[in-house]
Amino acid sequence: MSVKKNDIIPLTIHGLSSDGNGVGRYENQAIFVPATVPGDEIHARIVKDCKSYAFGIVESLNKPAADRIDVDCPVAAPCGGCCFRHLSYEAELAAKKDFVESAFSRLGGLSLPISDTLPSPQVERYRNKAQFPVGKDKDGKCCTGFYANRTHRIVSCDDCKLQPTVFNQIAAFLCEAFDRFSIPPYDETTHTGLIRHIFLRQGAHSGQILLCLVGASKKAPNLKPLMEELLAKFPEIKTILWNINTKNTNVILGQENKILYGPGYIEDTLCNVPIQLGPMSFYQVNTPAAEMLYQTAAQMAQLKPTDLVLDLYCGMGTIGLSMVEQCKKLVGVEIVPEAISAANENAARMGTEIAQRCRFLCADAGHAAQQLSEEGLHPDIILVDPPRKGCDQNTLDAICDMAPRTIVMISCNPATAARDTRYLAERGYIPGEVHPVDLFPRTKHVETVIALTKR
């Protein structure tokens, strides 16, 4: 007999699901409960019955688990961004290792050694990017925060602990200034108002800040007096842009930017690769952990000075460029034209000798891999860092046809990484140890790196 909505049941949490919920069993039915820890003894109120499983919330915490810690954010529950803020960091790392191990064994059918999760050098204040929706509070004043999970209701947050303190300070200043200068927030219901989002980026090494105001009009209001106050208070801001997004859409940024101040970008380095970041640039949000991730990938590639490296899904070229001094030639592939332009510019900033050893192609990874295979390109190392959906079969087949010595896969989704690893294993590549890397502390996400060698 399955549980019903509003039933209150005793439950012991025995594990965590990959989306961060605690899992318990009641009369052989799985019950998923957010904000719980393995070892918690609770009474749960059922909020959704899905027949073979159910979702609940904590009605009472009868006996807390040893790994439970006090939540240090007043809006953690309604915001939902930090699903592990109630869990010790050591237990979070262990849980992420379990997520990866489960994906490779259950979904990939592979029994592989899984290393302990590499911890992030920073657990708090690590994000180099923030996107604050702008709205009005119950008193009609401008407010920012984050959308509550699966809604467009803004949860006001004065001090998100994942963001640098200065981001929260800039957002608070802008809200006060928007009210003072009569610059209204955009209302999604009535489609009136002006300011939709506050978008911020900071160079982890340079400290430079980019501010992008996302507006619902092609014409920006008179922001000169506001910007004068802002720049006097926050001299780290090196560029300000007006992003135009007039569409009724969930997409945050529009396609057009107007530079209001500065060069339109900020500068930073990643693994000693000099880069320029605009609002559209794809860039890992945790720079110190990304550097650790790329160094791990380079170690697993075991590069030789004579190697040709093919970097698929290369983005701005940072992964391949971080390894270019250890190989003979680098070829990068990315479908976004702006990213390819940025990759070429990044290579040029590393010097003429490096730039001459690099070639970046704007193409779909699968089509480019096939084309390069047909051209007779024989890379020694292939790097792949695909989106969450993983690699398509055409890409994997083309990779195998080029017969590299080693494939190094970086993935933000253990499930698709496991699927793609199994396919490559069936095509003659031997997978080695899997390395989880924590780029997103306090959240459910985990990066995975694995090297496969030709049989």
Side-chain angles (χ1 to χ4, degrees):
M1 182 178 176
S2 65
V3 295
K4 302 184 297 297
K5 186 176 180 179
N6 290 324
D7 282 355
I8 297 175
I9 59 170
L11 198 66
T12 298
I13 303 300
H14 61 73
L16 290 169
S17 66
S18 59
D19 57 2
N21 289 325
V23 187
R25 297 199 73 84
Y26 182 78
E27 295 183 354
N28 291 322
Q29 188 175 15
I31 313 294
F32 298 91
V33 186
T36 55
V37 175
D40 277 347
E41 296 179 13
I42 67 171
H43 274 86
R45 179 183 293 275
I46 303 302
V47 294
K48 187 176 183 181
D49 173 21
C50 302
K51 303 304 178 187
S52 60
Y53 60 94
F55 290 92
I57 57 174
V58 177
E59 182 74 10
S60 63
L61 177 60
N62 305 325
K63 184 179 179 182
D67 290 320
R68 177 176 281 278
I69 61 174
D70 292 336
V71 176
D72 57 355
C73 175
V75 297
C79 169
C82 295
C83 64
F84 289 140
R85 192 149 287 280
H86 59 290
L87 185 66
S88 72
Y89 190 52
E90 293 75 15
E92 179 183 336
L93 294 174
K96 290 179 176 179
K97 177 182 178 179
D98 289 344
F99 297 163
V100 174
E101 190 166 24
S102 174
F104 275 81
S105 60
R106 184 170 54 85
L107 301 176
L110 298 165
S111 179
L112 299 175
I114 313 289
S115 70
D116 290 340
T117 307
L118 282 172
S120 172
Q122 293 175 233
V123 180
E124 308 285 5
R125 314 288 182 191
Y126 61 83
R127 288 187 62 91
N128 58 41
K129 182 177 80 169
Q131 299 166 139
F132 296 95
V134 180
K136 291 184 178 181
D137 62 18
K138 60 183 180 181
D139 298 322
K141 293 185 178 296
C142 180
C143 70
T144 66
F146 303 97
Y147 288 133
N149 199 20
R150 299 183 182 180
T151 76
H152 270 217
R153 177 176 59 84
I154 294 176
V155 176
S156 293
C157 181
D158 296 328
D159 185 25
C160 173
K161 297 184 184 302
L162 300 187
Q163 326 278 12
T165 301
V166 68
F167 281 9
N168 300 308
Q169 292 172 341
I170 291 171
F173 174 89
L174 285 171
C175 269
E176 183 274 332
F178 290 152
D179 282 338
R180 186 156 41 89
F181 288 99
S182 300
I183 302 172
Y186 179 73
D187 188 308
E188 289 186 336
T189 304
T190 62
H191 306 296
T192 57
L194 198 56
I195 304 293
R196 301 178 74 138
H197 279 82
I198 298 167
F199 179 105
L200 290 160
R201 275 200 137 124
Q202 183 173 39
H205 296 295
S206 69
Q208 296 180 5
I209 292 176
L210 174 149
L211 166 63
C212 183
L213 299 174
V214 183
S217 168
K218 290 187 176 182
K219 185 178 179 181
N222 179 16
L223 294 169
K224 186 176 179 180
L226 185 155
M227 290 195 301
E228 288 175 351
E229 289 186 26
L230 181 70
L231 293 168
K233 188 173 178 65
F234 301 102
E236 311 97 311
I237 297 176
K238 300 303 179 184
T239 200
I240 302 174
L241 301 102
W242 179 259
N243 176 268
I244 299 165
N245 185 354
T246 59
K247 296 181 179 179
N248 182 15
T249 175
N250 289 333
V251 177
I252 292 173
L253 292 174
Q255 294 300 307
E256 184 180 351
N257 293 298
K258 293 182 178 179
I259 300 173
L260 304 180
Y261 169 79
Y265 59 82
I266 56 172
E267 297 177 325
D268 201 28
T269 59
L270 180 68
C271 291
N272 296 318
V273 176
I275 55 176
Q276 292 180 347
L277 294 169
M280 306 294 193
S281 306
F282 173 78
Y283 193 58
Q284 294 283 10
V285 299
N286 184 343
T287 302
E291 291 178 325
M292 184 176 68
L293 173 71
Y294 294 173
Q295 289 161 4
T296 301
Q299 291 165 5
M300 296 169 73
Q302 297 184 338
L303 293 161
K304 300 176 182 179
T306 56
D307 281 344
L308 167 60
V309 175
L310 174 60
D311 182 5
L312 296 177
Y313 311 95
C314 72
M316 294 171 27
T318 47
I319 298 177
L321 288 171
S322 72
M323 306 180 193
V324 70
E325 293 183 346
Q326 303 173 56
C327 67
K328 183 178 181 180
K329 187 173 178 63
L330 169 68
V331 178
V333 176
E334 173 60 57
I335 197 170
V336 180
E338 293 83 2
I340 288 296
S341 296
N344 280 307
E345 291 165 4
N346 292 338
R349 280 189 287 272
M350 295 179 73
T352 303
E353 190 272 333
I354 292 291
Q356 289 175 342
R357 292 198 275 123
C358 298
R359 174 189 177 194
F360 292 100
L361 305 176
C362 185
D364 170 81
H367 292 154
Q370 285 179 310
Q371 175 190 332
L372 294 169
S373 177
E374 291 165 3
E375 288 178 9
L377 185 77
H378 298 293
D380 302 285
I381 308 292
I382 294 184
L383 309 172
V384 289
D385 184 11
R388 288 192 64 80
K389 65 181 181 180
C391 301
D392 60 36
Q393 187 173 326
N394 289 338
T395 303
L396 295 173
D397 286 340
I399 287 171
C400 294
D401 290 343
M402 285 185 279
R405 180 179 77 243
T406 302
I407 302 166
V408 179
M409 182 187 301
I410 298 174
S411 174
C412 59
N413 186 346
T416 55
R419 179 201 67 198
D420 294 347
T421 298
R422 178 175 179 171
Y423 188 85
L424 292 169
E426 291 169 348
R427 290 289 307 269
Y429 279 85
I430 303 169
E433 186 174 17
V434 184
H435 293 262
V437 183
D438 189 25
L439 258 69
F440 312 100
R442 314 327 258 144
T443 79
K444 62 187 177 183
H445 303 293
V446 59
E447 294 276 323
T448 305
V449 193
I450 182 169
L452 300 96
T453 54
K454 194 171 187 302
R455 194 183 302 278

